[in-house]
Amino acid sequence: MRVAAIIISTAITLVAVALVARTAASMVNVVRLGQPAIGRTDQPAQRWRTLVRETLGHSRLLKWRLVGAAHWFVFVGFGFLVFTLVTAYGQVYAGADWALPIIGHWWPYEAASEVIAFLTLVAILTLMVIRQVAHPRRLGRLSRFSGSTFWQAYYVELTIVAIAVCILLLRGLEGALVGTPGWGPHHLLSYPLAAAFSGMSAGALSTTILAVATVKIVVSMAWFLVIALNATMGVAWHRFTAFFNIWFKREAEGGTALGPLQPMHSRGEPIDFEDPGEEDIFGVGAVEEFTWKGLLDFTTCTECGRCQSRCPAWNTGKPLSPKLFVTGLRDHAYAKAPYLLTEESAREALPDTVRAEAERPFVGAVEGTGDAPGAVIDPDVLWSCTTCGACVEQCPVDIEHVDHIVDVRRHQVLVESEFPSELNQLFRGLENKGNPWNMNPSARLEWVSDLPFEVPLLGGDVDSLGEVEYLFWVGCAGAYDDRAKKTTRAVAELLHIAGVSFAVLGEAETCSGDPARRAGNEFVYQMLAQQNVETLKEAGATKAVVTCAHCFNTIKNEYRQLGLELEVVHHTQLLNRLVREGRLTPVAPAEGDSAAGADANGDGRSGQPITYHDPCYLGRHNQVYEPPRELLGALPGVEVREMPRSGKDSFCCGAGGARMWMEERIGTRVNLARTEEAVATGAERIATGCPFCKTMLSDGLTQKQAEGSAREEVEVIDVAQLLLESVRRGTLAPRPDVTEQDLTSN
């Protein structure tokens, strides 16, 4: 029997190792097909620290406590229990009593191997139960596993179960063979098994150990054979590729790929938009035009569906699933790779399936017609993205979904001129008038007309921004949108009351460029951004306060790519600081005032109920969560009620990624889904800190009120308006021309 076991173990091991080595090499070749990725090897020491924190420390996965803990034990077991595989080989080749040199009979090692094997078994069984509880057969498309390749997951799970069981059985058999007298550190958990096997003869025990050890080797090597034959089996390969994907992530210090978009490069070199080269690659129009980090991203996807479960598009019935977007590109990349890796003269000899894959359109109808193959990416998938970043924030292996989606959009806009027709008006307005609404620049200062004080203007009241503390960046919405103007006026008045010196640019201000960039029109973004950067540099700007979360992100993070260093604060941050410093004093509503809202809903809770919606580009993209909440908490007579999805888990309003200017024709409107959550809290006011969010939630609320599913007294309001309302209660001479309703109404 030993001869047969040796032959079987040797044969399957040699084949498995050879095939895995070949597949690993081919995977490296596929990843190397990508374009150069800039800035992925800086700060190596910090990258190693980040890798250790995210892998050994499981810092990203442990946000889901049960799943994170279970996965940690599976992760540790996969590495540590390799020693037990070596032991199994020794038992097959040298005898049943073989043990690792030096540590093989050291009780800490034996106890650790048993504990880890047992906890790995419990952990994988837990994950199997979780998969079944969240299975699409129960939850449909709301399951995060919807669209995942189930046989691969089941195979990996059952393999881990089999290996853990083999380890525990071997430990029990080994204990029976040496005659373990009772409980002890050498057989901490396996003693009951040892006792159960103690009636067997030494020969029978040796034969059984040989059989179980052989099974363990076969199961382990079969796993390697399967993954070697399935290079796109991310649920297995991520155990190796995740280390590289994390090490090469965008932010060496561990931050996610959120906030700024990456500048456009062609073959690793920055594109000169004033004089682009004829051979420059603009965005991604074929899978090989992604960077090698992008191809590594696709390779590493585990199909866990965390991204999908939080995607506002997927959750409202749109075809976009970040997971399926990535896995579709992965499958296409690996199917097309033989064509790309073959000399052009030899491509005709390739199989028809490979050549057909190479001929597939990259973006277009995914359903083929006649002889025409279907495209890789459906346009509805590409343009459903709000760039909220929930997918990136959720991904445990640091895949950079938003960057990849925007890169494809860039090619569609700049090269193919294929994009939703509504964006034509957006682009025209940005190019011709410097704002998305195509309004006259001369109207940028109309919001100041009813303020009781002069708003300093650069070039008029002040010659340089060095004369004031802050540039007040108004933004296009704050200047042109009637609802956003209320926020702009409220911030200006609060700064005036607090004695903060500021000035505005007026007509010298133009759109920050965020909508153009997220829509893929990098040319227009560069035009607007360069103009603004030049203006701000010439004006001597050092600090700016911004009310729009999108402008905040762009000016704070992306203008730095153009050489502008500027301290940028969101208005909720600055106003919260002014309240803490005592420069603004919120005052409680008078008794009997409707704003007091005492027990407004008859539920025993006092204070006017308010819920806060986190703007994606303030919260998730820039980690500003507490200042708005702290500010709301400082308002007397207010009770803040959180929505189920809030803070880091907040749900998008639907406006980002230039979706503000696109029709939403598929599924439920994202803003309606978010409005329903807000209304369900029983709040009388839905507070936010972004004009885009205010518009989307206001529109959603109006529809819900028309349907009768929201109370008429509910309103959407900016945090600044709430603060001004409270502060004005303490003024001795309130303005007779502005009522409280004026300050807070939509």
Side-chain angles (χ1 to χ4, degrees), residues 322-374:
K323 174 184 71 179
L324 299 180
F325 175 81
V326 166
T327 57
L329 287 169
R330 174 199 65 197
D331 295 344
H332 173 60
Y334 279 83
K336 187 179 178 181
Y339 181 89
L340 298 171
L341 292 168
T342 301
E343 292 291 337
E344 189 171 349
S345 59
R347 287 174 177 171
E348 285 300 319
L350 291 171
D352 291 343
T353 53
V354 173
R355 287 187 285 113
E357 191 71 31
E359 293 169 3
R360 288 179 69 188
F362 196 59
V363 178
V366 294
E367 297 294 334
T369 56
D371 295 331

Side-chain angles (χ1 to χ4, degrees), residues 114-125:
E114 290 189 7
V115 169
I116 292 174
F118 176 75
L119 291 177
T120 297
L121 178 61
V122 171
I124 196 63
L125 291 174

Side-chain angles (χ1 to χ4, degrees), residues 306-616:
R306 294 288 175 188
C307 56
Q308 179 176 287
S309 68
R310 296 303 173 94
C311 176
W314 182 261
N315 276 275
T316 54
K318 315 294 189 295
L320 168 62
S321 157
K323 174 184 71 179
L324 299 180
F325 175 81
V326 166
T327 57
L329 287 169
R330 174 199 65 197
D331 295 344
H332 173 60
Y334 279 83
K336 187 179 178 181
Y339 181 89
L340 298 171
L341 292 168
T342 301
E343 292 291 337
E344 189 171 349
S345 59
R347 287 174 177 171
E348 285 300 319
L350 291 171
D352 291 343
T353 53
V354 173
R355 287 187 285 113
E357 191 71 31
E359 293 169 3
R360 288 179 69 188
F362 196 59
V363 178
V366 294
E367 297 294 334
T369 56
D371 295 331
V376 180
I377 303 171
D378 190 297
D380 287 329
V381 167
L382 182 64
W383 294 104
S384 292
C385 180
T386 67
T387 67
C388 70
C391 50
V392 179
E393 194 275 332
Q394 289 286 306
C395 183
V397 292
D398 289 301
I399 294 172
E400 300 165 7
H401 313 73
V402 172
D403 285 353
H404 304 322
I405 288 173
V406 173
D407 275 339
V408 180
R409 285 185 175 185
R410 285 166 165 169
H411 184 86
Q412 291 302 108
V413 172
L414 300 177
V415 179
E416 303 293 341
S417 295
E418 291 288 342
F419 48 84
S421 58
E422 306 96 315
L423 292 180
N424 279 310
Q425 183 177 349
L426 168 69
F427 295 153
R428 280 198 302 270
L430 293 174
E431 287 186 74
N432 299 330
K433 300 293 180 64
N435 66 84
W437 291 278
N438 207 23
M439 301 284 284
N440 197 311
S442 63
R444 275 195 177 268
L445 276 175
E446 287 184 356
W447 62 271
V448 307
S449 58
D450 60 351
L451 288 175
F453 55 89
E454 291 294 325
V455 174
L457 175 66
L458 180 69
D461 307 280
V462 297
D463 296 323
S464 167
L465 292 176
E467 300 173 24
V468 295
E469 188 174 359
Y470 285 97
L471 159 68
F472 180 15
W473 181 274
V474 176
C476 299
Y480 295 115
D481 183 83
D482 288 338
R483 285 175 285 203
K485 285 180 185 178
K486 298 179 187 295
T487 302
T488 307
R489 285 192 284 266
V491 171
E493 188 163 347
L494 287 165
L495 295 179
H496 179 72
I497 293 171
V500 176
S501 62
F502 68 94
V504 298
L505 295 177
E507 291 185 41
E509 181 181 303
T510 190
C511 179
S512 67
D514 165 85
R517 194 170 217 199
R518 266 75 195 167
N521 198 332
E522 188 75 7
F523 273 116
V524 171
Y525 165 74
Q526 290 289 333
M527 177 188 73
L528 297 169
Q530 292 283 5
Q531 180 179 334
N532 282 326
V533 167
E534 184 178 341
T535 298
L536 293 173
K537 284 183 175 179
E538 290 180 354
T542 57
K543 293 197 293 186
V545 56
V546 185
T547 58
C548 174
H550 297 262
C551 293
F552 172 72
N553 177 70
T554 300
I555 299 171
K556 179 177 184 287
N557 297 317
E558 296 182 339
Y559 283 10
R560 188 173 297 143
Q561 298 168 353
L562 301 175
L564 179 69
E565 292 295 332
L566 186 67
E567 180 186 335
V568 183
V569 296
H570 190 255
H571 70 285
T572 58
Q573 293 175 300
L574 178 56
L575 295 177
N576 185 52
R577 188 190 312 159
L578 295 174
V579 170
R580 288 204 314 264
E581 293 173 354
R583 296 169 69 179
L584 291 173
T585 306
V587 176
E591 189 173 345
D593 190 332
S594 61
D599 198 13
N601 297 291
D603 58 5
R605 291 184 285 186
S606 62
Q608 184 182 62
I610 291 175
T611 192
Y612 175 68
H613 164 78
D614 290 272
C616 297

Side-chain angles (χ1 to χ4, degrees), residues 2-326:
R2 183 174 303 282
V3 173
I6 291 173
I7 292 172
I8 292 171
S9 299
T10 302
I12 194 171
T13 300
L14 291 175
V15 173
V17 170
L19 287 179
V20 164
R22 187 187 70 175
T23 302
S26 70
M27 292 170 71
V28 170
N29 287 334
V30 172
V31 171
R32 291 179 64 187
L33 286 169
Q35 303 299 308
I38 308 303
R40 301 298 177 149
T41 57
D42 61 330
Q43 305 179 60
Q46 181 59 55
R47 289 184 178 277
W48 284 112
R49 286 191 289 269
T50 297
L51 178 64
V52 171
R53 184 173 66 249
E54 289 196 20
T55 54
L56 190 59
H58 257 45
S59 58
R60 292 181 63 76
L61 265 169
L62 284 173
K63 70 177 76 174
W64 308 286
R65 293 177 184 174
L66 177 60
V67 171
H71 190 277
W72 188 86
F73 282 110
V74 173
F75 163 77
V76 170
F78 183 81
F80 184 85
L81 298 179
V82 167
F83 295 109
T84 66
L85 180 60
V86 175
T87 301
Y89 277 104
Q91 290 168 329
V92 168
Y93 286 97
D97 59 349
W98 190 89
L100 288 171
I102 302 175
I103 65 169
H105 293 300
W106 187 39
W107 75 261
Y109 166 75
E110 291 184 315
S113 62
E114 290 189 7
V115 169
I116 292 174
F118 176 75
L119 291 177
T120 297
L121 178 61
V122 171
I124 196 63
L125 291 174
T126 300
L127 294 177
M128 292 172 71
V129 170
I130 290 172
R131 186 179 295 275
Q132 295 308 309
V133 170
H135 199 283
R137 78 170 72 92
R138 297 182 66 250
L139 302 178
R141 77 181 270 127
L142 292 181
S143 166
R144 64 186 175 93
F145 299 115
S146 177
S148 296
T149 312
F150 273 84
W151 78 262
Q152 295 180 353
Y154 290 154
Y155 178 76
V156 170
E157 290 166 347
L158 291 174
T159 296
I160 296 171
V161 168
I163 290 174
V165 169
C166 284
I167 292 169
L168 293 173
L169 283 174
L170 285 169
R171 291 295 300 142
L173 290 164
E174 291 162 10
L177 185 64
V178 299
T180 300
W183 288 100
H186 288 277
H187 292 276
L188 189 64
L189 298 178
S190 63
Y191 173 70
L193 288 172
F197 295 136
S198 61
M200 298 174 63
S201 67
L205 286 170
S206 296
T207 301
T208 306
I209 288 174
L210 177 63
V212 176
T214 304
V215 169
K216 184 178 187 306
I217 291 170
V218 169
V219 169
S220 300
M221 292 303 108
W223 184 82
F224 280 106
L225 281 172
V226 170
I227 71 170
L229 297 174
N230 293 274
T232 59
M233 193 173 174
V235 69
W237 276 107
H238 84 276
R239 297 168 186 274
F240 308 104
T241 60
F243 294 100
F244 299 97
N245 213 49
I246 294 169
W247 200 92
F248 289 116
K249 67 188 296 182
R250 189 210 284 184
E251 302 295 333
E253 295 183 358
T256 53
L258 294 174
L261 285 174
Q262 296 298 280
M264 285 182 66
H265 290 81
S266 175
R267 298 180 177 87
E269 297 296 327
I271 295 177
D272 181 355
F273 283 91
E274 294 183 1
D275 184 24
E278 292 183 4
E279 300 300 320
D280 279 349
I281 297 173
F282 292 93
V284 172
V287 73
E288 64 271 20
E289 292 177 358
F290 284 106
T291 66
W292 61 260
K293 176 57 170 66
L295 296 178
L296 181 59
D297 274 356
F298 308 153
T299 300
T300 306
C301 179
T302 72
E303 300 188 29
C304 68
R306 294 288 175 188
C307 56
Q308 179 176 287
S309 68
R310 296 303 173 94
C311 176
W314 182 261
N315 276 275
T316 54
K318 315 294 189 295
L320 168 62
S321 157
K323 174 184 71 179
L324 299 180
F325 175 81
V326 166

